Amino acid sequence: MEEKACNKIMTSKEILSQLPYSEPFLFVDEIDFVDENGVEGRYTFKKTSHFYQGHFKDYPITPGVLLTECCAQIGLVCLGIYLLKGRTKTSDINENTLQIAMSSSEMEFYLPVSPGETVKVVSEKKYFRFNKLKCNVKLFNSEKKLVCKGVLAGMFKQTSDGK
């Protein structure tokens, strides 16, 4: 597969390598586009994920909190990593030196996401100042229908020693 050069600051592979998450709590498969104003990415919810066993037992759907997390990982964290990289002159951003905290979320849900479904997150930066990022996010299902949307905000801290 050809590596996407999202632009001159970072490739999608570089952004993904700096995410502070791993399986089973990684909700980003691919970054399709990123620039200083926003990001688009995709994730496929695995049919074998343990949370489907009880949510709901006869009709499994993806919990809203995990849809929000997917939006946050793609729409807030990936964009934040990209924006921080654009502000720094070093390549020292990594999961050991980057601290992230979600500061607020407001989401509205419209449709369910089934096990095995691929979703697309589209995020638009509202502002990034004093290392606080606020974004409008939308999550679309495999039929390109709006599943949920909202506003997410988070704080980013870059340390030199990983503490």
Side-chain angles (χ1 to χ4, degrees):
M1 186 160 99
E2 184 179 316
E3 170 59 25
K4 294 178 182 164
C6 290
N7 60 43
K8 295 177 185 177
I9 294 177
M10 297 180 84
T11 65
S12 61
K13 186 175 181 179
E14 290 171 325
I15 294 170
L16 294 174
S17 73
Q18 295 178 20
L19 287 171
Y21 313 104
S22 63
E23 291 292 337
F25 207 74
L26 176 64
F27 297 105
V28 184
D29 287 333
E30 217 168 309
I31 300 297
D32 298 317
F33 171 83
V34 64
D35 70 10
E36 64 279 350
N37 296 309
V39 64
E40 295 181 12
R42 288 178 277 131
Y43 179 72
T44 300
F45 284 93
K46 295 164 189 63
K47 291 181 180 184
T48 57
S49 295
H50 73 280
F51 52 80
Y52 288 124
Q53 294 173 13
H55 193 262
F56 295 88
K57 61 184 176 182
D58 295 326
Y59 181 70
I61 61 169
T62 308
V65 68
L66 295 181
L67 298 176
T68 301
E69 182 65 26
C70 181
C71 287
Q73 287 187 19
I74 294 172
L76 199 66
V77 179
C78 288
L79 181 57
I81 288 169
Y82 173 83
L83 294 171
L84 280 173
K85 178 72 173 181
R87 289 184 174 183
T88 61
K89 295 179 183 175
T90 66
S91 60
D92 291 338
I93 297 173
N94 63 56
E95 66 274 4
N96 296 319
T97 63
L98 181 63
Q99 297 175 346
I100 303 166
M102 173 122 49
S103 58
S104 66
S105 67
E106 182 180 323
M107 297 293 289
E108 296 179 22
F109 299 91
Y110 305 107
L111 296 171
V113 171
S114 301
E117 193 164 2
T118 299
V119 296
K120 179 178 182 177
V121 174
V122 177
S123 176
E124 179 183 293
K125 178 184 77 177
K126 289 182 79 163
Y127 65 79
F128 183 54
R129 60 181 173 261
F130 304 113
N131 285 357
K132 182 172 183 175
L133 177 60
K134 190 169 192 176
C135 299
N136 291 317
V137 296
K138 293 180 180 177
L139 186 142
F140 298 91
N141 65 16
S142 55
E143 297 174 351
K144 299 182 182 178
K145 293 181 180 176
L146 182 64
V147 170
C148 61
K149 68 177 181 176
V151 179
L152 301 175
M155 300 293 295
F156 295 82
K157 181 179 178 185
Q158 176 71 33
T159 64
S160 60
D161 60 0
K163 295 181 183 177

